[in-house]
Amino acid sequence: MKTIVIYYSQTGFTKRYAKWIAEAKKADCLELSKAKKKNLSEYKTIIFGSWACAGGIRKLNWFKKNIDKWKDKKLIVFCVGASPIDSPEIDLALKRNFKESELKRVSVFYCPGGLNYKRMSLSSKLMMKIFVTTLKAKKDKTNAEQETIKMISSSYNIADKKYIEPILNCLSK
């Protein structure tokens, strides 16, 4: 079964996961800008990976615009974010990105990545700075908010190859 992994990465975490998946399944792997120019009809499985920001999956509209023409293909989306895998908001955030009818066709996964302030765009850095400042200014912070402040105040990496296992299992079905 011919598979392609298409990714959109800002700081490298999504690219790393895409390459891990492609390597494990001997799949082709392309950055989104190159994949847009490619005829994908030869592939039986299309995997799209991107990064999450404020609950949204970047460049997901490209993928969603093509779902109807990929009726005969297995479709998988994974997103990479800064939250740990056990964060309770993840499932809700993932589902908000899709209509119910799309979720019947697409398997969706989350992979924790981290933050890399050195590779972030200026607008992303600014957004994170505003978020941290707002959280710090809040009175009566919860323990979770205090942990969040510690976690996102500097770069960190929680990416791990083990997080692709559910995706690989889905591909094997």
Side-chain angles (χ1 to χ4, degrees), residues 13 27 65 68 84 94 104 110 131 143 158:
F13 293 107
K65 284 179 191 171
D68 286 341
L94 289 177
K104 289 177 182 172
Y110 176 79
F131 180 60
N143 286 340
I158 55 174

Side-chain angles (χ1 to χ4, degrees), residues 68-161:
D68 286 341
K69 77 177 179 188
W70 294 334
K71 287 188 186 306
D72 62 332
K73 301 183 185 311
K74 182 173 202 150
L75 302 176
I76 296 173
V77 170
F78 72 94
C79 77
V80 179
S83 296
I85 194 82
D86 58 358
S87 180
E89 298 87 28
I90 291 171
D91 281 340
L92 288 173
L94 289 177
K95 288 178 181 161
R96 277 194 305 261
N97 284 276
F98 295 91
K99 296 176 190 167
E100 199 169 312
S101 60
E102 293 167 336
L103 284 171
K104 289 177 182 172
R105 296 255 5 264
V106 181
S107 299
V108 184
F109 299 91
Y110 176 79
C111 300
L115 292 173
N116 184 338
Y117 284 103
K118 287 181 182 172
R119 297 193 65 195
M120 251 184 221
S121 69
L122 186 58
S123 60
S124 291
K125 284 181 197 176
L126 181 60
M127 183 182 70
M128 291 303 295
K129 184 174 177 70
I130 291 168
F131 180 60
V132 170
T133 302
T134 303
L135 262 183
K136 284 181 177 178
K138 185 178 177 193
K139 293 180 182 179
D140 302 321
K141 290 181 261 314
T142 65
N143 286 340
E145 290 167 334
Q146 290 172 353
E147 284 301 311
T148 298
I149 291 167
K150 279 189 228 172
M151 191 168 80
I152 66 174
S153 292
S154 60
S155 295
Y156 63 93
N157 179 353
I158 55 174
D160 192 308
K161 211 173 198 177

